[in-house]
């Protein structure tokens, strides 16, 4: 799909940001209650927890995962793990509504056939942020990243392939899905501190679901 599609009725629409990046505005809004229910069930089994970076810094975002692989960080490094280190049990299965959303959004953005095996769940309270980084712990960089935003809005920084490249500031609102892959797969990105607020469905939180093909 080229250019941008605007929905005349205020429904979801695709904004093409560049060759490998698309913002699907409001894409996850219609099914948000069902989606959130599935996410809360996962978080009930594997509660969000603060992790530390390999350098020993506490992350301000609390994280959990579902699917075959979960992303973890500790003093030993960043990696994917088949078990939740807190419980010693496998991560909760990826709920169908999450998998279907990720697959559909990827296809709409030009990445048909995306079949994620990992969903990282990032939980932000006001003040939480994520520094500029690349997603590079996955095996196959030809697979895109599908990132779903729920709850409080956030300013996403979408940089270039070098850390020093100027980053675009993109407002991510409840139900927005950002997809990047192909030539954009290794773009640096981050999230500015979430501002306080109350979202009707999520209250004073932002939840981000990052779908990836880890292995
Ligand atoms: O919260 C976001 O929107 C981005 C999360 C992210 O970049 C990551 O988990 O690697
Ligand atoms: Fe990331």
């Amino acid at each position: 799909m080229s250019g941008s599609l605007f929905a005349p009725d205020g429904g979801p629409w695709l904004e093409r940001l560049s060759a490998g990046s698309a913002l699907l505005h409001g894409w996850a809004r219609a099914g948000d209650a069902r989606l959130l229910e599935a996410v809360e069930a996962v978080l009930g089994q594997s509660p969000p927890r603060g992790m530390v970076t390999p350098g020993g810094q506490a992350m301000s975002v609390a994280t959990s995962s579902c699917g075959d692989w979960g992303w973890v960080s500790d003093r030993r490094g960043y990696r994917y793990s088949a078990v939740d280190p807190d419980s010693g049990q496998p991560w909760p299965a990826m709920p169908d509504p999450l998998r279907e959303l990720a697959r559909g959004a990827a296809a709409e953005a030009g990445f048909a056939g995306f079949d994620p095996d990992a969903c990282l769940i990032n939980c932000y309270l006001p003040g939480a942020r994520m520094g500029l980084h690349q997603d590079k712990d996955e095996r196959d960089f030809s697979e895109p990243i599908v990132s779903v935003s729920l709850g409080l809005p956030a300013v996403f920084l979408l940089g270039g392939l070098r850390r020093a490249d100027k980053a675009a500031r993109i407002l991510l609102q409840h139900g927005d899905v950002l997809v990047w892959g192909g030539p954009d797969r290794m773009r640096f990105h981050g999230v500015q501190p979430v501002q306080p607020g109350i979202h009707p469905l999520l209250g004073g939180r932002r939840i981000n679901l990052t779908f990836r093909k880890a292995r």
Side-chain angles (χ1 to χ4, degrees):
M1 200 177 296
S2 65
S4 297
L5 280 185
F6 291 84
D9 59 354
W13 59 282
L14 181 145
E15 181 183 7
R16 172 71 47 202
L17 301 175
S18 62
S21 307
L23 175 52
L24 282 72
H25 293 266
W27 188 260
R29 220 160 48 202
D32 59 359
R34 193 166 162 242
L35 199 62
L36 188 62
E37 198 180 309
V39 170
E40 296 290 18
V42 167
L43 296 179
Q45 278 184 67
S46 277
R49 79 294 306 264
M51 295 199 189
V52 293
T53 66
Q57 280 252 316
M59 293 177 63
S60 59
V61 176
T63 59
S64 183
S65 284
C66 61
D68 293 342
W69 298 97
W71 184 87
V72 297
S73 175
D74 59 22
R75 296 301 294 235
R76 286 162 51 209
Y78 302 124
R79 64 190 173 279
Y80 282 95
S81 167
V83 298
D84 176 345
D86 279 10
S87 68
Q89 296 297 119
W91 296 101
M94 192 184 299
D96 286 340
L98 273 68
R99 184 185 304 278
E100 283 157 22
L101 171 66
R103 291 179 61 95
E108 191 70 12
F111 299 98
F114 177 60
D115 187 21
D117 58 7
C119 173
L120 173 62
I121 305 173
N122 293 307
C123 301
Y124 295 75
L125 293 177
R129 59 183 285 277
M130 197 175 284
L132 221 52
H133 66 278
Q134 293 169 300
D135 291 3
K136 56 182 182 188
D137 301 314
E138 299 72 33
R139 201 164 273 173
D140 181 359
F141 297 148
S142 71
E143 299 281 357
I145 304 288
V146 174
S147 173
V148 178
S149 291
L150 298 171
L152 293 180
V155 175
F156 188 87
L157 300 170
L158 185 56
L161 298 177
R162 290 167 308 182
R163 182 177 286 279
D165 290 344
K166 190 172 158 47
R169 300 169 85 252
I170 298 170
L171 179 65
L172 294 182
Q173 294 179 286
H174 176 74
D176 288 350
V177 182
L178 185 61
V179 181
W180 66 97
D184 290 345
R185 177 60 177 76
M186 300 313 286
R187 286 177 81 165
F188 279 86
H189 58 279
V191 177
Q192 290 195 339
V194 168
Q195 299 302 304
I198 298 295
H199 184 273
L201 210 56
L202 281 96
R205 299 177 292 167
R206 170 177 190 259
I207 294 181
N208 165 263
L209 309 174
T210 294
F211 294 90
R212 304 179 178 130
K213 181 80 178 162
R215 298 298 165 92

